[in-house]
């Protein structure tokens, strides 16, 4: 605050009071990220940032350093809903605090500040929050490829891989013969995050009682922890195996034998 008078033509004006003020503004923002328990990730601190990326369910906390104390501070979403998040402020401290906010989706939020004299920030500082989904496990069945027509004496070889962004609890194979209860076979447990785990399994059709003309179905599955903190099962595509009849197998065997026994014919034959 400054008191001044003006001199002009040998005369002096009354005193004027000159005050200087500045609009409230953000100086820096430091974030802490508390990840959901299923991720098994430690809390992370990020200094001076305007962009945060985290898996869904993560709680964000932040300390915003300002150039001056303010009367109010809030984050306002830019989307159609214009949701508002009030920040904690202290009239004696140039700070605003965000406490345990779990963003439901990705979005851009603008920081709105109002100082003790009702002045707004000249510019609304944007914060970008990227919410990444908790992806279900990825299952790949390399063999058998698609539907099959095995004999009742065959062993069906299952091979494939399982992968998950935060790890799987268990994975396996479920098969069923039409008219019977499904049978679940657990092939492994506790795959670490982002590790691609291979699996193999032989299904002996004779041992499970498969008969000619039976229809056997199968699919692979994996369990992880979903965004609600509860176990979640993901199933692969459903495939079928139609068990061949014995007479079909016999005819196929006979055809192969005939091809092997038939002598090769010469292309240069001479008449008698």
């Amino acid at each position: 605050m400054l008191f001044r008078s003006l001199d002009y033509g040998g005369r002096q004006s009354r005193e004027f009071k000159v005050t200087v003020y500045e609009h409230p503004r953000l100086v820096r923002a430091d974030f802490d990220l508390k990840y959901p328990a299923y991720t098994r990730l430690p809390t992370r601190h990020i200094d001076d940032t305007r962009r945060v990326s985290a898996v869904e369910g993560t709680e964000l906390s932040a300390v915003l350093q300002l150039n001056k104390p303010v009367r109010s501070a809030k984050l306002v979403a830019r989307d159609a809903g214009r949701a508002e998040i009030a920040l904690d402020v202290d009239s004696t401290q140039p700070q605003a605090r965000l406490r345990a906010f779990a963003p439901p989706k990705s979005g851009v939020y603008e920081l709105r500040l109002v100082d003790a004299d009702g002045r707004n920030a000249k510019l609304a500082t944007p914060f970008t929050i990227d919410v990444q989904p908790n992806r279900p496990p990825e299952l790949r069945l390399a063999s058998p490829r698609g539907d099959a027509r095995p004999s009742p004496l065959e062993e069906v070889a299952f091979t494939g891989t399982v992968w998950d962004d935060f790890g799987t609890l268990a994975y396996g194979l479920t098969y069923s013969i039409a008219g019977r209860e499904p049978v679940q076979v657990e092939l492994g447990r506790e795959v670490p995050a982002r590790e691609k785990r291979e699996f193999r399994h032989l299904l002996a059709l004779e041992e499970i009682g498969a008969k000619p003309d039976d229809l056997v179905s199968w699919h692979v599955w994996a369990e992880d922890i979903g965004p609600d903190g509860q176990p979640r099962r993901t199933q692969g595509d459903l495939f079928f195996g139609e068990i061949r009849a014995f007479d079909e197998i016999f005819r196929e065997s006979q055809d192969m034998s005939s091809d092997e026994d038939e002598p090769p014919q010469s292309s240069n034959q001479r008449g008698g």
Side-chain angles (χ1 to χ4, degrees):
M1 183 180 299
L2 178 65
F3 292 91
R4 293 292 301 271
S5 60
L6 299 177
D7 295 328
Y8 62 98
R11 302 173 62 184
Q12 190 176 55
S13 72
R14 64 182 177 85
E15 287 188 339
F16 291 88
K17 181 174 68 173
V18 180
T19 58
V20 178
Y21 70 89
E22 58 180 340
H23 291 271
R25 59 182 172 81
L26 176 70
V27 176
R28 62 178 287 157
D30 302 327
F31 277 82
D32 287 297
L33 282 64
K34 183 181 179 182
Y35 296 102
Y38 69 82
T39 66
R40 302 177 185 177
L41 296 174
T43 299
R44 181 185 178 194
H45 179 79
I46 306 176
D47 285 326
D48 197 12
T49 184
R50 309 288 190 276
R51 178 181 292 271
V52 177
S53 179
V55 68
E56 58 185 320
T58 300
E59 290 186 351
L60 307 180
S61 300
V63 177
L64 280 57
Q65 302 291 344
L66 311 175
N67 66 323
K68 60 190 294 188
V70 296
R71 185 173 68 195
S72 70
K74 60 184 177 181
L75 293 172
V76 181
R78 280 185 178 176
D79 60 18
R82 308 294 289 177
E84 296 185 1
I85 306 164
L87 307 182
D88 295 342
V89 297
D90 183 338
S91 60
T92 64
Q93 298 293 327
Q95 284 185 349
R97 289 180 177 269
L98 172 67
R99 298 186 185 275
F101 168 59
K105 60 181 180 179
S106 297
V108 178
Y109 294 79
E110 293 182 348
L111 175 63
R112 306 287 180 86
L113 301 172
V114 180
D115 68 11
D117 297 315
R119 300 185 186 92
N120 297 313
K122 278 192 170 183
L123 298 175
T125 305
F127 286 87
T128 300
I129 299 178
D130 178 26
V131 178
Q132 301 173 353
N134 174 1
R135 297 161 56 183
E138 295 181 6
L139 294 160
R140 179 177 177 270
L141 187 61
S143 68
R145 294 187 175 182
D147 298 333
R149 299 193 71 246
S151 79
L153 304 178
E154 283 187 43
E155 292 182 331
V156 181
F158 291 90
T159 62
T161 57
V162 60
W163 180 96
D164 187 67
D165 47 359
F166 295 107
T168 58
L169 301 176
Y171 59 94
L173 167 75
T174 295
Y175 67 87
S176 176
I177 298 177
R180 306 184 197 176
E181 289 295 318
V183 177
Q184 179 175 289
V185 181
E186 185 177 292
L187 302 179
R189 298 186 66 83
E190 299 295 337
V191 181
R194 299 184 178 277
E195 176 184 310
K196 182 179 287 187
R197 177 72 58 85
E198 294 185 355
F199 61 80
R200 299 176 182 275
H201 182 71
L202 281 178
L203 181 63
L205 297 178
E206 185 178 19
E207 291 181 4
I208 67 173
K211 300 293 190 294
D213 297 326
D214 278 346
L215 187 65
V216 182
S217 62
W218 56 74
H219 67 267
V220 290
W221 52 265
E223 292 181 351
D224 71 336
I225 298 295
D228 59 356
Q230 300 300 313
R232 171 180 62 178
R233 173 169 289 203
T234 299
Q235 296 184 355
D237 293 334
L238 183 66
F239 296 103
F240 297 91
E242 183 180 358
I243 308 302
R244 291 181 294 170
F246 282 115
D247 59 345
E248 181 181 344
I249 301 170
F250 178 76
R251 287 197 306 271
E252 181 179 302
S253 177
Q254 286 293 97
D255 291 341
M256 293 178 63
S257 297
S258 298
D259 291 341
E260 292 175 359
D261 294 340
E262 184 176 339
Q265 300 220 357
S266 171
S267 59
N268 297 318
Q269 295 187 357
R270 298 185 181 181

